[in-house]
Amino acid sequence: TSNQMWGGRFAAGPDAIMEAINASIDFDKRLAAQDIAGSRAHAAMLAATGIVEASDAEAMREGLLTVLSEIEGGSFEFSAALEDIHMNVEARLKEIVGPAAGRLHTARSRNDQVATDFKLWVRDQLDAADQGLTALIAALLDQAEAGADWVMPGFTHLQTAQPVTWGHHMMAYVEMFGRDLSRVRDARKRMNECPLGSAALAGTGFPIDRDMTAAALGFDRPTANSLDAVSDRDFALEFLSVASISAMHLSRFAEELVIWSSAQFRFVALSDRFSTGSSIMPQKKNPDAAELIRAKIGRIFGAQVALMTVMKGLPLAYSKDMQEDKEQVFDAADNWLLALAAMTGMVGDMTANRDALEGAAGHGFSTATDLADWLVRERNLPFREAHHVTGSLVAKAEARGCDLPDLTLEDMKEVHEGIDTSVFDVLGVHNSVASRTSYGGTAPVRVREQVARWKEVLG
Ligand code: ARG
C-alpha cells in the first residue's frame, strides 16, 4: 500500500530495504516532546490567524496532549512505515481527532518542523550543560577553598617546576569550565531563532504569524531567511564544538586524577562511590570513572567530525542527508552530560592528601627559581647569572642526592660567596607560594580572591 501522507502520486509502497534506510523513528522518537510542543504552537497560530477554525485547532491541541501522554506512558506504538516522529505523531493524531488533524500541516513542512524540533532539543541540552557545568564549578570551588594554602608541585613537561597551591590548581579548572559555560550561553543566544513557518524552503502564502510561534516556543525571534532556516545545522555543530572543548577539559582533568590517585603519587584518594575494584587483585581501587571520562571525548569529537562531513557538501536547501544529524548529537550530548555529572561526583567526594602533596612539593628542586630570584633581588645579580649560579647549586645537590634546602651554607658559599642564611627562607615551599602574589598567581591570598569572585559570579 502506498504512503498515507503522500500516497497520492504513488502506486506502490516502499521496498523493505528502502524503509530500513529511510526510517528515522528508532532514534528521532527522542524529539517527541519538542515535536508536540511545536505542533501545538503551530495549531494555536493557525487558529489565531484564521487559517483554521478555532474548534479544529483546539481539537488538535488537545489531541496532541493525548499523543504526548501515550508516548510518555509507553503505550504509543511507533511505526517504521511512518518513517519519523513527525509522521508518527500526525498519524496518531488523526486516529484521535479525525479529519481535522489533516489541517495541522497547513503552512508547514517537515523541513521547518524538524529544524524547529531539533533546535528545541539542542537548546534543552545546552540548559542541562549549563547546570552540569555550574555544579562542577561549585564542587571545584569547595576543593579550592579547603586547600587554598595547601602546597603541591606544579609541573611543566610533567617534571617538577615550581610549587603551587592545591587551590590554584583547582581554580585553573574553574577557569576552563567557566569558559565552557560562557560558550554554552553564547551558543544558546545565537541559535535561539525559530525556523517554524519557513515551510519546505520558500516560506508560505498563508498569512501565518511567525512571531507568535517563535514566542510560544521561547525563541527570541523567527529566522530571517527560509532557505537558511531549513538548511542550517550550525546550531548542532556549535553544540558539538562547545561539547568537544568541554570534554577535552574533562579529559585533561580526568588524566590528572588517574595519575594523582596512583600509589606513586597518592595526591588524592577517590571515594569508594567513584572507584571500582579488581576481580583478581584484592588491593585494587581503580579510577574507572576518570578513565571513562578521559575516553568519552573520542565519541564527542567523532560526532563533530561526522556532522561536519555530512553538511559540508550539501546544496541548499534540505537534503535527506540531514537526517543523519541526530544520532551523533544525541550520543555526544548524553555522554558529555554524563561525564560532567561523573566528574562533579568524583570532585565532590575526593580527598586531597595534604601530606603527600606537600611532601612532593619540596622535591625535584622546585624552589630553584625562588633561589635565583633571591640572588637577583638581594644580591643584584642579573637574572641570567643568577640562573647559572642556581643551576650549579642544583647540580651539587643532585650529585649529593639531596634537595636544595639540605645543602649547607658552606656548600652554597662555595658556589657564590654572597649567599647567607637568609636564603633558606626562600627555599621553603610555603614561602615560595606565598611570594607569588602577582594577579592570577598561586599565592593563597590570590587564590582566595578568585574563589570569592567566582562565588559571586555563580550567585
Ligand atoms: N526525518 C526527517 C529528518 O530527520 C524529517 C524531514 C524530512 N523532510 C523531507 N523533505 N524528507 O530530516
Side-chain angles (χ1 to χ4, degrees), residues 5-17:
M5 297 290 168
W6 57 68
R9 65 104 68 222
F10 284 70
D15 189 272
I17 297 294

Side-chain angles (χ1 to χ4, degrees), residues 198-430:
S198 300
L201 73 166
T204 176
F206 288 101
I208 57 173
D209 182 347
R210 294 193 60 205
D211 291 312
M212 181 179 168
T213 41
L217 296 169
F219 287 106
D220 296 328
R221 65 192 79 83
T223 52
N225 182 297
S226 60
L227 274 175
D228 172 53
V230 295
S231 310
D232 163 35
R233 292 295 180 273
D234 295 8
F235 63 90
L237 286 165
E238 191 167 357
F239 173 79
L240 293 174
S241 310
V242 172
S244 291
I245 294 173
S246 175
M248 176 273 293
H249 289 147
L250 286 164
S251 184
R252 293 182 78 170
F253 192 22
E255 165 68 359
E256 296 208 301
L257 293 179
V258 170
I259 296 175
W260 290 354
S261 61
S262 69
Q264 287 68 29
F265 273 74
R266 296 192 320 106
F267 283 7
V268 297
L270 300 176
S271 74
D272 288 357
R273 301 198 315 146
F274 284 95
S275 313
T276 57
S278 158
S279 57
I280 173 171
M281 297 167 283
Q283 86 284 10
K284 292 282 265 178
K285 191 169 160 191
N286 292 326
D288 291 31
E291 294 168 81
L292 286 163
I293 291 169
R294 186 174 60 185
K296 287 206 179 282
I297 186 169
R299 40 214 291 177
I300 299 172
F301 272 17
Q304 194 185 10
V305 172
L307 184 53
M308 279 286 199
T309 311
V310 166
M311 296 305 296
K312 75 169 186 59
L314 293 186
L316 304 186
Y318 179 87
S319 296
K320 197 58 173 266
D321 310 48
M322 290 164 73
Q323 179 165 286
E324 286 289 308
D325 56 2
K326 293 170 209 57
E327 281 167 292
Q328 301 286 345
V329 175
F330 291 164
D331 183 76
D334 290 345
N335 284 287
W336 180 29
L337 295 174
L338 181 60
L340 279 171
M343 186 58 95
T344 304
M346 261 195 304
V347 171
D349 273 17
M350 78 184 175
T351 317
N353 183 344
R354 188 177 179 174
D355 293 336
L357 290 169
E358 297 206 4
H363 291 146
F365 316 109
S366 65
T367 52
T369 313
D370 299 81
L371 175 50
D373 287 350
W374 184 88
L375 288 165
V376 170
R377 219 172 37 241
E378 304 297 328
R379 296 295 177 264
N380 200 27
L381 262 57
F383 182 77
R384 275 292 149 238
E385 196 183 330
H387 187 289
H388 192 81
V389 167
T390 309
S392 306
L393 286 167
V394 167
K396 196 168 212 171
E398 195 167 41
R400 198 160 296 173
C402 68
D403 277 304
L404 277 178
D406 305 322
L407 291 174
T408 63
L409 186 59
E410 289 67 53
D411 294 331
M412 301 231 190
K413 279 185 176 300
E414 260 172 50
V415 176
H416 187 86
E417 61 177 26
I419 296 179
D420 64 27
T421 51
S422 69
V423 81
F424 287 99
D425 288 346
V426 302
L427 296 180
V429 293
H430 285 280

Side-chain angles (χ1 to χ4, degrees), residues 134-145:
T134 304
L136 176 54
I137 290 170
L140 286 163
L141 288 175
D142 286 345
Q143 285 284 351
E145 192 163 39

Side-chain angles (χ1 to χ4, degrees), residues 24 28 84 86 110-111 114 318 320 323 326:
S24 55
D28 67 17
D84 58 23
H86 324 294
R110 275 188 300 155
N111 297 347
V114 73
Y318 179 87
K320 197 58 173 266
Q323 179 165 286
K326 293 170 209 57

Side-chain angles (χ1 to χ4, degrees), residues 141 143-152 163-169 171 354 358 370 428-453:
L141 288 175
Q143 285 284 351
E145 192 163 39
D149 56 1
W150 300 357
V151 185
M152 67 181 284
V164 294
T165 49
W166 170 257
H168 200 51
H169 203 117
M171 291 305 288
R354 188 177 179 174
E358 297 206 4
D370 299 81
V429 293
H430 285 280
N431 287 333
S432 170
V433 296
S435 74
R436 297 223 154 63
T437 53
S438 55
Y439 180 77
T442 195
V445 301
R446 291 287 98 88
V447 171
R448 291 197 176 97
E449 280 168 12
Q450 291 301 324
V451 171
R453 180 176 71 82

